[in-house]
Amino acid sequence: MFSKIGELIFENEAVSKTSDFKMGLEVEMHRVDGTGNLSEEPYPAAIGDQKINPWITNDFLETMSEVVTPAASNALDAMHYLYSINTALRTALSPGEFLWPLSMPPKLTPERIKIAQAGPEKERYFKEWLKHHRVAEGAPCGAHINLSIDERLITMVYQKMPERFADEKAVRNYLYTIVAQGFVRYRWLLTYLFGASPIAEGNYFEAGKELKRPVRSLRQSREYGFGSKFTPDYTDLEHYVQVIERAVAKKEIYTAAQFHGPVRFKGATELKQLQKEGIAYLELRMLDLDPTSYVGIRTGTLRFIRLLASYFIMSPALNKNEVFDALEVAERRNELVALEDPTKPSQLAEAATALIEHLKVYIDLIQAGPEYQELIEDMEYRVKIPMNTPSARLVRNIKDGSLTEYALKRAKGYQKSALLALHPFRDFEDHAKLSANELKAKLFRGSWEPQHREEI
């Protein structure tokens, strides 16, 4: 089951370090009014200036609020940050204003659509993007996960395998690349297990291109969702950079920042500098919002992501000459799964079961905790019984071709809970540009300290 690197890690009793990812979260949600339309209220003053506050900002539209957490050492700590900052946002909303809990946007009424006032550089980018896209294409929301590998693991691999890697940067690039390949290769499984965008509300589709039935995930579909339309190359960092530079040169995208693939190599902003300095972390962009969660994502989902990342590090990688073709197949598989009827078994159910069986063996081999046994049983149950997937559950709540009634009920319930918070955070108003350490000190005021805990 293990690769040579996996065997090395296992023999040195360092498996726990393969899941000791620092984890940062970015979760987008639209501000809406009580009728389920985009809000016409101004940007909430109590969360500071959207141009400089790094923890609550706006994405493409003025109503598209994005909560960003500092990097945390485990899923529970990341969720603690997310809950606290999300509550700060909710309690800053105007009366009668709510956060839309679905990935697909509410009804897009033209007179209510305003591009985010995110500063001259971002606004120029948005305007250029709109020359080639419809507003609706930029309106879906999701949850992004930033993962950075434990540096102790990178150091150990380099020290034990100096003949294979020139330096620690080479180890770092290799490990991030095989993790990225793994997530792209099995993105279709995440779409099946966590897809939660079966339909779109009014004015999302182009005239004549409306879907006639619910699907697993509109947002994760290349044809109907949000993302770059060209095929990235995750063979290695060099190929990744070359393909994005070629796309910019061919005007398929305006800038490198406009690449919205399922996984992004992160580090230096400029591609040449990224290639020189190496990958610092990965950004995973393949999760719909979970409308049954106050913050749009669940702790169990984060644990499953960490489990997969650990499994990818320990498992044999694809041969370099096979990567591009294998990931093209994976792209087609994801499109197939994304557009399936969510209430019926997937055409890839057998492949999903096979991977879950591998993960069950892996959990036993590394002696993961009971929470991972329960988690993998839940994922297996979703594969066996499609009606237990998030998208299928949403289908039950569709009324007259819409999820607005369901979404508003959820949104209003979450808002009521937020308003009962005893000490909502208000320091963004006066100190919008807080560092991660300043945010932690002011947000929790010594009542909670993120800790480094080994989860596997």
Side-chain angles (χ1 to χ4, degrees):
M1 171 173 269
F2 296 149
S3 65
K4 285 188 177 180
I5 288 179
E7 289 176 356
L8 171 70
I9 293 169
F10 189 77
E11 289 167 1
N12 283 270
E13 299 181 351
V15 174
S16 65
K17 293 183 179 61
T18 66
S19 66
D20 272 344
F21 294 95
K22 282 192 173 179
M23 179 176 281
L25 304 174
E26 302 171 18
V27 179
E28 307 151 334
M29 293 181 181
H30 280 286
R31 290 184 291 118
V32 298
D33 64 19
T35 66
N37 286 293
L38 294 176
S39 175
E40 293 184 298
E41 296 291 340
Y43 189 80
I47 55 175
D49 187 341
Q50 62 177 296
K51 298 181 184 69
I52 63 174
N53 183 356
W55 312 114
I56 302 179
T57 185
N58 266 7
D59 209 314
F60 174 52
L61 298 180
E62 187 68 8
T63 57
M64 200 171 180
S65 298
E66 182 174 31
V67 170
V68 180
T69 76
S73 294
N74 56 70
L76 287 175
D77 287 351
M79 290 295 284
H80 204 141
Y81 269 122
L82 183 61
Y83 179 87
S84 299
I85 302 172
N86 182 282
T87 299
L89 169 60
R90 289 182 187 276
T91 55
L93 299 179
S94 298
E97 201 175 23
F98 309 93
L99 294 183
W100 184 257
L102 301 175
S103 274
M104 299 309 289
K107 183 179 179 180
L108 296 172
T109 309
E111 59 269 22
R112 292 192 176 218
I113 293 172
K114 295 180 181 178
I115 303 304
Q117 299 175 36
E121 186 177 346
K122 274 194 171 182
E123 288 173 41
R124 278 196 301 272
Y125 160 62
F126 293 151
K127 288 175 182 176
E128 185 64 29
W129 187 86
L130 281 169
K131 292 178 182 178
H132 310 282
H133 302 270
R134 297 179 305 113
V135 168
E137 293 178 56
C141 293
H144 303 167
I145 302 175
N146 298 316
L147 293 177
S148 57
I149 296 173
D150 191 321
E151 285 295 317
R152 295 171 298 174
L153 180 68
I154 291 166
T155 299
M156 188 207 75
V157 170
Y158 174 61
Q159 289 175 345
K160 298 289 185 179
M161 306 182 82
E163 73 289 346
R164 180 168 174 179
F165 298 103
D167 50 29
E168 288 191 6
K169 183 179 78 172
V171 177
R172 191 177 297 108
N173 285 344
Y174 176 77
L175 292 181
Y176 278 124
T177 298
I178 62 172
V179 171
Q181 290 171 4
F183 276 112
V184 176
R185 188 179 180 189
Y186 294 107
R187 178 188 177 192
W188 58 267
L189 179 63
L190 295 176
T191 297
Y192 177 87
L193 294 173
F194 304 110
S197 49
I199 63 171
E201 301 298 326
N203 298 332
Y204 179 78
F205 293 109
E206 287 185 86
K209 294 187 178 181
E210 300 87 350
L211 280 174
K212 305 301 182 186
R213 57 167 179 78
V215 298
R216 294 195 197 283
S217 178
L218 276 172
R219 182 178 175 273
Q220 296 305 322
S221 163
R222 188 169 190 170
E223 183 176 357
Y224 297 103
F226 177 71
S228 300
K229 304 305 180 186
F230 69 91
T231 302
D233 190 342
Y234 294 97
T235 300
D236 53 29
L237 179 56
E238 182 180 358
H239 283 81
Y240 174 88
V241 168
Q242 286 176 353
V243 168
I244 296 175
E245 287 181 333
R246 194 179 307 132
V248 173
K250 293 167 66 176
K251 300 191 183 303
E252 292 178 296
I253 54 176
Y254 177 51
T255 67
Q258 198 181 331
F259 167 60
H260 297 296
V263 181
R264 295 203 291 195
F265 293 155
K266 302 291 283 188
T269 305
E270 297 298 323
L271 286 176
K272 292 296 185 187
Q273 201 64 21
L274 175 65
Q275 197 167 350
K276 180 180 178 182
E277 296 176 7
I279 306 165
Y281 63 98
L282 297 180
E283 181 187 12
L284 308 180
R285 305 166 55 85
M286 51 187 67
L287 289 175
D288 290 348
L289 294 180
D290 184 340
T292 66
S293 167
Y294 177 94
V295 294
I297 190 170
R298 290 188 172 274
T299 307
T301 305
L302 298 185
R303 285 198 174 119
F304 189 68
I305 293 294
R306 292 173 72 106
L307 174 66
L308 281 177
S310 172
Y311 173 78
F312 295 146
I313 286 176
M314 298 287 286
S315 301
L318 291 166
N319 292 325
K320 264 196 168 187
N321 62 353
E322 297 174 342
V323 172
F324 188 81
D325 288 344
L327 298 190
E328 274 200 324
V329 171
E331 176 68 34
R332 292 196 295 272
R333 285 184 160 195
N334 185 70
E335 192 71 4
L336 172 71
V337 172
L339 298 181
E340 286 180 322
D341 182 337
T343 66
K344 295 180 180 178
S346 172
Q347 294 180 56
L348 295 181
E350 187 175 338
T353 299
L355 179 57
I356 285 174
E357 286 299 322
H358 263 251
L359 290 173
K360 287 166 73 175
V361 172
Y362 180 66
I363 287 170
D364 288 338
L365 283 173
I366 65 175
Q367 299 180 349
E371 66 272 27
Y372 282 91
Q373 300 283 356
E374 294 174 4
L375 176 65
I376 205 67
E377 287 172 7
D378 180 38
M379 298 301 107
E380 184 177 34
Y381 195 51
R382 292 187 191 189
V383 173
K384 288 181 177 177
I385 305 176
M387 289 304 296
N388 284 307
T389 59
S391 198
R393 289 175 178 172
L394 282 174
V395 168
R396 299 172 188 164
N397 293 283
I398 296 173
K399 290 188 178 180
D400 299 323
S402 173
L403 281 167
T404 295
E405 182 179 323
Y406 168 84
L408 284 176
K409 183 178 179 180
R410 286 279 180 182
K412 291 176 180 180
Y414 296 146
Q415 188 66 12
K416 184 177 180 179
S417 297
L419 294 176
L420 294 175
L422 294 177
H423 303 290
F425 187 70
R426 286 287 178 262
D427 282 23
F428 285 136
E429 189 171 355
D430 299 320
H431 308 282
K433 200 169 185 178
L434 299 174
S435 69
N437 286 333
E438 289 171 336
L439 176 68
K440 181 179 73 173
K442 292 178 179 294
L443 198 59
F444 304 114
R445 304 188 189 282
S447 64
W448 173 77
E449 181 69 23
Q451 296 177 355
H452 187 79
R453 294 192 289 271
E454 294 182 351
E455 289 201 337
I456 292 183

